[in-house]
DNA sequence: AAATAACACCTAACATGTTACACGCTAGCT
DNA sequence: AGCTAGCGTGTAACATGTTAGGTGTTATTT
């Protein structure tokens, strides 16, 4: 594992600073969201540290951050576990996501530029191709990227990071749902409707369309809970 | 400083776990939000550790968490500073607050119970008394408590914590504005209008009233920036 | 005198040793 | 047999030692 490859700072503005704890954080987060690590599974700090070739410190730091984000559960003096799925927490995350993204899309619709719109449409085109070849993973990534782009289009510094963090729980669930996902085409059509509303600078319609889109996930979630109860908490 | 006074766990449900890093976090956060520590001021981990009678580890952990929250700025290998106020970050925080709290109040208005309403009105009564004796600090605390109670009334697990965290930046600014604050009575009237709309189970009016309430802060902010430019970043 | 390069200092980042506590197990008591 | 108390084990929490790199200063060169 590389050491801080470049911690450049202009004293007023942090350019980039990739410390080991940041790298460990990114690796673990990715592993959790992609379900390489299963909900409920123990995380042994010492082993993770050994595997990544670092000491326990940056691993602990990364795990603390993940705990804040709700992706791991730390039981003091006992152990650290990949967080199980809690329906009530998912409900809250869904609510927050809905509130933030509908508000963001309203702003985006008001201040959309042709350039950004072109980026949106390129993304949609790629989504269409991914859907046609049934490439779930790729489709999912493009989906996430589109939501990020909409956040950026709202023109608020740091909003994407906040939205992305609050979406962690949802992203995990969506990943697990991928293989039960049969509505890729429907999802694509919803995305197109959202972008269309933005293009027409119609904030209200954009927000309502986004809302309908986000709420689709609820039913699938119940399906997952029946199929894989072991992933869920109490 | 006390050691984890009780880290009780029922394996499925964390009851309470006050570790040293939690205590340090709470102390530092309070100090920053209340402006006992000024924006831009250096935080010397070693000195903080000595003052609190702990080692550098829990202090570092607490500071990492505060950095996530945007309350401190860490410059790798250089130093840690109380975050200055950045207009663009405050703008984003304001946006997030608006999105979350208007959405929360809609839900609260839909599911309000007489008991909760009574609590709201008790709070308002206390606010009135605090306003009458020009007790800024007390009024401010009651204000925060009211917003927290509204979050809780939305009936979503963990929403208050999320909202409270995202409000950190705003809370700092409001504290600084307290002594320039001349509109305590107006604020109280706005609060009363919000609660009234909830009581009448009118989500739309409640949300619009809340929106107007939150947006009041903008002008005061510009005033502060002129009076105390040293608190602000670039 | 101005520009630049070398260097010393200070800090966060990282490594590692130590402690205390949650939990499971077992033995002993009822 | 069932229940409780004490003990052993393993982990996070905490303490402390070490390293590396950013910043400011100073010396040197032009």
């Amino acid at each position: 594992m590389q050491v801080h490859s470049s911690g450049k700072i202009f004293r007023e503005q942090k350019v980039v600073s990739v410390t080991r704890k940041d790298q460990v954080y990114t690796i673990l987060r990715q592993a959790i969201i992609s379900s390489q690590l299963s909900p409920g599974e123990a995380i042994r700090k010492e082993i993770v540290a050994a595997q990544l070739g670092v000491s326990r410190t940056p691993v602990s730091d990364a795990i603390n951050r993940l705990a804040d984000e709700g992706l791991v559960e730390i039981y003091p003096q006992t152990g650290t576990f990949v967080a199980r799925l809690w329906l009530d927490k998912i409900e809250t995350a869904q609510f927050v996501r809905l509130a933030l993204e509908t508000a963001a899309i309203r702003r985006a619709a008001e201040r959309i530029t042709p350039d950004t719109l072109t980026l949106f449409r390129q993304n949609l085109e790629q989504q269409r191709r991914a859907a046609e070849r049934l490439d779930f993973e790729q489709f999912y990534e493009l989906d996430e990227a589109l939501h990020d782009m909409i956040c950026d289009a709202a023109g608020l510094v740091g909003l994407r990071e906040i939205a992305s963090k609050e979406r962690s729980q949802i992203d995990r669930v969506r990943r697990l749902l991928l293989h039960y996902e049969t509505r890729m085409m429907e999802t694509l059509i919803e995305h197109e409707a959202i972008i269309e509303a933005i293009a027409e600078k119609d904030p209200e319609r954009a927000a309502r369309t986004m809302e309908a889109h986000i709420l689709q996930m609820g039913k699938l979630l119940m399906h997952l809970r029946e199929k894989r109860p072991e992933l869920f908490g109490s």
Side-chain angles (χ1 to χ4, degrees), chain A residues 2-222:
Chain A
Q2 275 291 355
V3 185
H4 346 114
S5 46
S6 96
K8 290 233 172 57
I9 294 196
F10 287 140
R11 188 67 190 76
E12 292 295 322
Q13 188 184 355
K14 190 187 300 185
V15 175
V16 63
S17 164
V18 182
T19 59
R20 293 188 201 188
K21 70 176 163 229
D22 292 331
Q23 296 176 50
V24 175
Y25 167 79
T26 303
I27 291 169
L28 284 178
R29 184 176 191 277
Q30 180 62 24
I32 292 171
I33 290 183
S34 70
S35 291
Q36 284 165 45
L37 297 173
S38 307
E41 184 176 347
I43 298 177
R44 301 284 314 284
K45 292 184 183 186
E46 203 155 20
I47 292 177
V48 172
Q51 285 176 340
L52 297 179
V54 299
S55 78
R56 301 177 339 246
T57 308
V59 176
S60 287
D61 287 346
I63 285 179
N64 282 332
R65 215 169 135 192
L66 291 166
D68 269 344
E69 207 167 331
L71 291 177
V72 304
E73 299 170 2
I74 299 174
Y75 295 96
Q77 260 69 5
T78 303
T80 302
F81 305 86
V82 178
R84 285 157 300 174
L85 302 174
W86 301 85
L87 282 183
D88 50 11
K89 284 188 186 171
I90 294 172
E91 190 188 6
T92 302
Q94 183 80 330
F95 170 87
V96 171
R97 183 190 180 191
L98 194 55
L100 286 183
E101 296 209 10
T102 55
I105 207 171
R106 280 198 177 88
R107 266 184 77 107
E110 285 163 3
R111 57 183 59 212
I112 188 70
T113 63
D115 283 358
T116 311
L117 203 52
T118 303
L119 290 175
F120 287 170
R121 288 185 165 139
Q122 281 171 2
N123 178 292
L124 286 178
E125 185 51 41
Q126 290 178 284
Q127 281 192 27
R128 178 169 291 279
R129 284 200 290 273
E132 278 164 2
R133 67 182 126 84
L134 296 176
D135 186 340
F136 294 109
E137 292 285 341
Q138 178 68 14
F139 186 83
Y140 175 78
E141 270 181 37
L142 288 164
D143 183 335
E144 268 199 315
L146 182 63
H147 283 274
D148 279 347
M149 285 158 70
I150 291 172
C151 267
D152 285 342
L156 288 165
V157 175
L159 180 61
R160 190 187 56 209
E161 287 74 14
I162 294 171
S164 158
K165 182 168 179 181
E166 298 301 335
R167 225 176 38 214
S168 299
Q169 298 285 337
I170 307 288
D171 288 340
R172 279 178 92 196
V173 174
R174 294 202 58 213
R175 272 291 182 109
L176 285 165
L177 287 172
L178 265 188
H179 301 294
Y180 300 93
E181 178 77 77
T182 53
R183 45 185 296 288
M184 211 157 28
M185 262 311 169
E186 289 92 324
T187 303
L188 175 58
I189 291 169
E190 287 165 19
H191 284 160
E192 286 173 338
I194 290 169
I195 299 305
E196 200 50 41
I198 293 179
E200 290 176 14
K201 305 200 175 191
D202 185 342
E204 272 319 307
R205 186 154 67 86
R208 281 201 317 276
T209 314
M210 175 66 92
E211 180 169 2
H213 172 58
I214 291 179
L215 292 177
Q216 287 297 335
M217 205 198 69
K219 307 161 206 162
L220 292 170
L221 183 60
M222 289 307 151

